[in-house]
Amino acid sequence: MKERFYGLLLAMIIMICCFFPGNNAEAAADPVMIPVRAATQALGGSTLWVNGEKMLKVTLGGRKWKMVLGSSLTTLNEKDFALDRPAAMNEEGRVCIPLESFNKALGVNMELHSGQWVPAQEDTIGRGMYWMRLLQQGDFELARGMMNASLAGIFTDDALENYRASLEDTYGSWTLLRAESTEDSVHKNANLTFQTPRGKSFRMELRFDMGSRLDDLALLRNAPDTYTPPAYDRPGQYTEQQITVGTKSLPLPGTLTVPVHSAGKVPAVVLVHGSGPNDQDESTGGGKMFRDIAVGLANEGIAVLRYSKRTYEYPNRSLTPDFTVQEETIDDSLSAITLLQKDERIDPGRIYVLGHSQGGMLVPKILEEESGEAVAGGMLLSAPSGSLEDLMLGQYKAILKRAVDNHESAAELERKQEKVEMWQTAVDLLHDDEYSTERLPALFPLPSPYWWYDIRGYSGPLIARSQHVPLLILQGENDVQVPPSSLKVWKQALDSRKDVTYKSYPGLNHMYALYGEPSTGDEYRLAANVPEAVIRDMADWIHLAAK
């Protein structure tokens, strides 16, 4: 009888333990607590202790968070946010809260590593903020430790010190304003915007490889993105596929836009960027010229491959001492052509190359390098017809003249005069036969002197004169960067060829946007699109070639 009683008593105790989880050992385990101030500051945020109210105020980017000691109810951006456990003071006098609550509130994933609270490997935004804080504090050893071997080989401690000094000289100190992340076929990107006491802001993009190691970093213009898709953008007409072009050591993210309603294999176009670092859309604030062309040609049954330029994706790793346009542009365009040849959806006999500005100037060189005759035709949009150095000097002289005509301040006129003088010095040195890629001048005023001496005297029309690949050469008549007179030079140089088509467009500026005033380049920030008529001219030329 006693055995039965004790058996029933034991069963009741087990049932009570099951119904009251507070008595369960696993449920009673304390949550991991994280010190708020140390973890926030590691991410570049700030904290403020209000002693009279026992309140801790946390600021990280756009997040404003208030918590009171002993309470589980906090305020996050003026809204209630409940902690999994009340905020408490640890033995060291630090306010601590549950780790899970901290991560959820601030959109990060912190973890304890070697006694330090750091972002987890998969936390791209957190790792970006953490790295910028290391840079700001001068902790270069830890900053380099987050890099892969390729980037760490470039950024010694001294190089990181110089990088930080350059940012501080330009902007002063910096505080996180906004943090976002993106991911493509090559990188996981932390996009961070910082505010400075001088009223300026700047944007950093930290590019992590798929192993979460920092692969490169870029200081980008913090211009507002005012772009709106064109009326002819019909998403139902195409699919977009993330692809990778370029070399094994410097792969580039790109997008292949393929029309969905075409029967059989379709023609395709590779887009080649203009001068300077450019993303795959060739974004300019208010315009995305390459994106417009891609979605526009999709309506015409034509696929388009666009990709980030090497100097955009790898602003530090790509710039070797002997860097030339071969590495900057040509090699990657050839890689893109090869990729299209292997795609079963693409007609290998109808692959075209479209180059804009400097990219257009280099189309004849790309055709020359492509020995397999894989390119059916080339399209040159606003392609310089003469040397690039003379064109750039002319641009800066025109900028100075406009400044004089507009009665700009003496300080601004002096600054622009100095630019002209710098370019004049560079051009004079480039025109001096005493110097070459083998013998560079000791004091060349522009970055990458090897690049400039390799391309000096380059003539696209001279190369194209003896080629036999059909060309379409277009020019905007309101182009402040490449004058309409360039089109005349192309016509004169290629006057013996019967397979070249020319067309110019009134009112179109360098980015192929319609602008009613004389272009200065300032209008690039305004929302604008490539006119559909221009895209139809390209499509008609491609389709006509197939007949």
Side-chain angles (χ1 to χ4, degrees):
M1 192 73 178
K2 288 182 178 180
E3 290 179 357
R4 184 180 179 186
F5 171 77
Y6 286 122
L8 291 171
L9 181 62
L10 178 61
M12 291 178 65
I13 292 172
I14 293 173
M15 289 179 65
I16 290 171
C17 290
C18 292
F19 279 103
F20 290 91
N23 294 330
N24 184 281
E26 183 177 351
D30 291 336
V32 176
M33 303 292 279
I34 186 172
V36 179
R37 182 186 298 273
T40 301
Q41 290 179 346
L43 297 170
S46 62
T47 58
L48 176 65
W49 173 250
V50 184
N51 192 47
E53 302 178 39
K54 303 295 183 184
M55 176 186 291
L56 185 65
K57 296 182 178 181
V58 176
T59 301
L60 182 65
R63 288 179 165 89
K64 310 291 183 183
W65 194 12
K66 299 176 184 178
M67 60 191 70
V68 177
L69 199 63
S71 173
S72 60
L73 185 62
T74 71
T75 303
L76 179 63
N77 288 346
E78 305 302 327
K79 294 182 179 179
D80 289 344
F81 179 85
L83 303 177
D84 295 335
R85 181 175 176 175
M89 192 82 76
N90 67 7
E91 295 177 354
E92 298 174 345
R94 297 176 180 176
V95 176
C96 296
I97 64 171
L99 172 61
E100 187 174 344
S101 299
F102 181 90
N103 286 338
K104 183 178 179 181
L106 297 184
V108 294
N109 185 9
M110 300 293 280
E111 61 182 18
L112 194 61
H113 181 72
S114 300
Q116 298 292 323
W117 287 100
V118 298
Q121 291 285 326
E122 64 273 14
D123 183 3
T124 301
I125 290 179
R127 287 175 70 79
M129 294 189 292
Y130 180 66
W131 191 90
M132 287 297 293
R133 180 60 174 170
L134 293 176
L135 177 70
Q136 194 171 36
Q137 290 179 315
D139 199 336
F140 304 134
E141 183 178 356
L142 282 179
R144 293 184 72 246
M146 293 179 65
M147 298 176 175
N148 60 25
S150 298
L151 189 62
I154 296 171
F155 277 109
T156 62
D157 286 358
D158 287 343
L160 278 176
E161 173 62 48
N162 292 335
Y163 196 91
R164 182 185 69 170
S166 177
L167 284 177
E168 290 180 342
D169 288 346
T170 305
Y171 300 105
S173 60
W174 61 80
T175 304
L176 183 69
L177 186 63
R178 185 170 58 255
E180 300 168 332
S181 67
T182 58
E183 185 171 341
D184 51 46
S185 62
V186 174
H187 287 132
K188 295 180 287 186
N189 305 302
N191 306 295
L192 310 176
T193 303
F194 295 93
Q195 185 67 52
T196 73
R198 300 176 186 177
K200 293 182 179 180
S201 62
F202 67 93
R203 187 160 63 96
M204 292 291 299
E205 186 164 286
L206 279 70
R207 299 181 178 128
F208 294 90
D209 60 25
M210 293 307 166
S212 298
R213 310 296 291 182
L214 187 59
D215 195 27
D216 216 323
L217 60 153
L219 174 62
L220 303 175
R221 291 187 307 160
N222 192 30
D225 185 351
T226 58
Y227 173 79
T228 57
Y232 52 78
D233 182 5
R234 305 181 185 99
Q237 294 287 93
Y238 60 85
T239 61
E240 287 193 327
Q241 175 188 347
Q242 284 195 359
I243 50 86
T244 303
V245 302
T247 64
K248 184 177 181 180
S249 60
L250 296 173
L252 304 172
T255 301
L256 177 59
T257 304
V258 182
V260 295
H261 300 303
S262 298
K265 296 187 176 185
V266 298
V269 178
V270 172
L271 304 185
V272 182
H273 319 78
S275 60
N278 285 287
D279 65 14
Q280 62 176 288
D281 294 330
E282 209 165 51
S283 304
T284 57
K288 296 183 185 291
M289 179 181 174
F290 278 8
R291 185 188 183 280
D292 286 353
I293 292 174
V295 301
L297 288 180
N299 296 331
E300 307 293 334
I302 300 168
V304 174
L305 175 54
R306 65 193 196 272
Y307 52 91
S308 293
K309 194 173 179 180
R310 187 181 296 199
T311 49
Y312 176 86
E313 198 67 23
Y314 301 97
N316 299 288
R317 288 184 55 206
S318 65
L319 297 179
T320 58
D322 56 353
F323 182 71
T324 70
V325 292
Q326 186 73 32
E327 292 80 26
E328 179 192 17
T329 298
I330 296 170
D331 286 345
D332 296 326
S333 66
L334 296 176
S335 171
I337 293 167
T338 300
L339 190 69
L340 289 177
Q341 286 178 300
K342 297 177 180 179
D343 194 309
E344 295 182 354
R345 297 166 294 181
I346 305 301
D347 183 346
R350 291 193 292 163
I351 296 174
Y352 297 82
V353 175
L354 182 156
H356 174 236
S357 194
Q358 180 184 302
M361 179 183 77
L362 292 172
V363 165
K365 182 65 174 175
I366 294 170
L367 298 177
E368 184 179 67
E369 292 278 333
E370 212 303 300
S371 57
E373 299 183 355
V375 180
M379 291 180 275
L380 287 64
L381 278 61
S382 299
S385 56
S387 70
L388 201 59
E389 62 267 22
D390 291 331
L391 177 67
M392 294 299 294
L393 176 59
Q395 288 180 8
Y396 279 98
K397 285 182 176 179
I399 290 172
L400 176 60
K401 183 179 184 305
R402 287 196 299 273
V404 172
D405 293 343
N406 293 332
H407 306 290
E408 294 186 10
S409 67
E412 192 65 21
L413 292 176
E414 182 180 0
R415 186 181 70 83
K416 291 175 178 176
Q417 178 64 45
E418 289 175 353
K419 278 280 190 181
V420 170
E421 292 172 357
M422 180 190 73
W423 275 97
Q424 185 65 64
T425 299
V427 169
D428 290 343
L429 288 170
L430 287 166
H431 288 178
D432 190 339
D433 292 336
E434 179 183 353
Y435 301 111
S436 65
T437 53
E438 289 76 28
R439 189 173 186 273
L440 298 172
L443 297 174
F444 191 72
L446 303 177
S448 304
Y450 193 98
W451 187 95
W452 281 103
Y453 277 92
D454 180 73
I455 201 175
R456 70 170 177 178
Y458 172 88
S459 173
L462 184 62
I463 297 174
R465 189 176 182 87
S466 58
Q467 293 179 332
H468 304 286
V469 179
L471 298 177
L472 173 66
I473 304 180
L474 306 181
Q475 177 69 46
E477 296 180 12
N478 190 18
D479 191 331
V480 72
Q481 292 182 248
V482 178
S485 58
S486 291
L487 186 63
K488 296 180 181 179
V489 177
W490 282 98
K491 286 182 177 181
Q492 292 170 357
L494 308 182
D495 61 352
S496 62
R497 291 186 54 173
K498 305 302 180 184
D499 57 353
V500 183
T501 303
Y502 308 91
K503 187 163 186 179
S504 63
Y505 299 91
L508 291 194
N509 63 15
H510 189 64
M511 303 310 296
Y512 282 70
L514 189 62
Y515 188 59
E517 301 293 330
S519 174
T520 64
D522 291 338
E523 78 275 6
Y524 297 166
R525 69 182 187 278
L526 304 175
N529 300 109
V530 177
E532 191 171 11
V534 176
I535 291 171
R536 284 177 180 164
D537 286 341
M538 299 176 191
D540 290 346
W541 181 77
I542 290 172
H543 291 314
L544 184 63
K547 295 180 180 179

